[in-house]
Amino acid sequence: MKKATLLACGLSLSIVLGPVLARTPVATGTGGAVATISEQASNSALRILNGGGNAIDAAVAAAATLGVTDPFSCGIGGGGFMVIYLAKDKRVITIDHRETAPAGFTPAAFLENGKPVDFESVVASSASVGVPGTVRGWHEALTRYGSMDFKKVLAPAIEVADKGYQVTEIFSHLTAQNERKFQLYAPTSALYLRNGKAVQPGTLIRNPGMARAYREIAQGGVKAFYEGPIARAIVEAVNKPPFAPGKSARTGRMSMADLANYEARIRQPLRSTYRGYEIYGMPLPSSGGATVAEALNILEGFELSRMPRAQAEHLYIEASRLAFADRNAYLADPEYIDAPVAGLLSKEYAAQRRKLINQRAGRSAAAGDPYGYQHDQSVPLRPQSHRLQLENAHTTHLTVSDKDGNVVSYTFTIESWGGSGIVVPGYGFLLNNELTDFDFSGPHPNVPEAGKRPRSSMAPTIALKDGKPAFTIGSPGGSTIITTVLQTIFNYIDLGMPMDQAVNAPRISERNGEATSIEPGFAGTEQARALARFGHRWEADPEEIGAANALVFNPDGTVTAVSEGKRHGVGTALVQRRGH
Ligand code: GLU
């Protein structure tokens, strides 16, 4: 997550650099629409839409371009979750292409002498690299639901990688934050450092290695990544990391079989309802959909729209706290654990949880007992009440629709800024450190296991009303993803804000921790003071939270694409035809 200074960087950026002024964080029109945090990525999506591609094709094109221009938050070295509304079938599906732990992984992978190892020492190392899922996810998306092949959708990203892109203030700042990690690895230093220091704003970065990787995938398809020279290069980079002279770090283990055996999962979306909307979110192994849905179920019993804003926001914070207590206790990879999701999502269970909320801010809520609300009560798990484990906050989210009504809401990541810090030699992409999303020690449903997917917070969401897409929302930000999505829905539906206001409003993130996270500049405001009267306490070191992107399908048939107006250097929203 970026420091307070970054907000200032983002603001000064829009004054100093000409092209940024042209960025449009809100656009309304007809035909397809796209919102991403990268101007080039939104342009790539629009180019594919204008060339006859559908929303799925355009989403992959945008994602591939983000892999070039925002290489520290996403890329083919990582994984993600895609939620798709298929207009022809009028249904929502999801593609889980989360990274998996290699077959050699064990529950003791992050223990030494029975104690959890230092978190940061695992982050900047190949010990936390999960088997990447992104290319497999794109392949499933394109072959099942797209209309174009890799060759067409990767073309715009290849151009950007070949021609290069200008380093922005934020890019430079993130590189500086990760200098020590990047100094560990020779190919990473070569790409993103100059004489061991972060690239400066304005520098042109070309990435011929990434262009080469994309070309090989365009040529050889999904196998080029999972079985060919790229796979060999990944395995080599994990097992014998390309350390810079004199450097060392922890080392993991991955085999060619780990890559060849990687599978994406087509999963049923998690469906819940909220005040007449159907909310489709990501099921496990992401905790995103379930936690957002539980909190909304709790909120649904309050007449929020008739309350003073502070009262409603107090309830939003408390609902989030309770949902997070359950998330932290129960949720993990569904192929390894029988999590009580049906109980957690029942309206009756939410009614019980709601009773725990009063006029005072809660402190460290305990997990509830959803088992009485499950249809099948045969295998109860004991809740494992863990403190919120350290989680980083990065990633990227994009959203696209097309003229035929298909809609994509897509969040993907390499986990920390710059992932493990390891650029795969010859191929210019960073490997993830997703395995740090496991709980390092148990007992806990989310402990490491071979082949398991670490629990995520990613929450790409599509909401329907009267059977038709109404809006989409998603964000980066580690566990704050959940609160950003939840708060934006609350702002939009309950506080009645237009989506751009709902996105730009100050973010308040309660994850059942010691104090509530807020953004720089919030603490002294009237809004904050009104909440403090309920007893809310703010985290001492505010940071910018998230970078949301959304679409709204308006009653008159137009679509409004919304990106961040201030955060992360301003996003880019585009529509195929502007106006009505
Ligand atoms: N690894 C995180 C997750 O899956 C996303 C990375 C981030 O946003 O920091 O929830």
Side-chain angles (χ1 to χ4, degrees), residues 11 40 118 137 164 443 557:
L11 293 174
Q40 295 95 324
D118 171 54

Side-chain angles (χ1 to χ4, degrees), residues 4-17 20-21 169-170 544 565-570:
T5 48
L6 251 193
L7 205 61
C9 287
L11 293 174
S12 64
L13 189 71
S14 58
I15 297 159
V16 175
L17 295 176
V20 176
L21 287 174
E169 297 271 353
I170 284 174
E544 192 176 285
K566 291 186 295 235
R567 298 181 184 91
H568 208 87
V570 182

Side-chain angles (χ1 to χ4, degrees), residues 37-55:
I37 206 67
S38 151
E39 193 176 6
Q40 295 95 324
S42 292
N43 284 334
S44 294
L46 201 68
R47 182 169 140 191
I48 292 294
L49 290 172
N50 288 339
N54 69 14

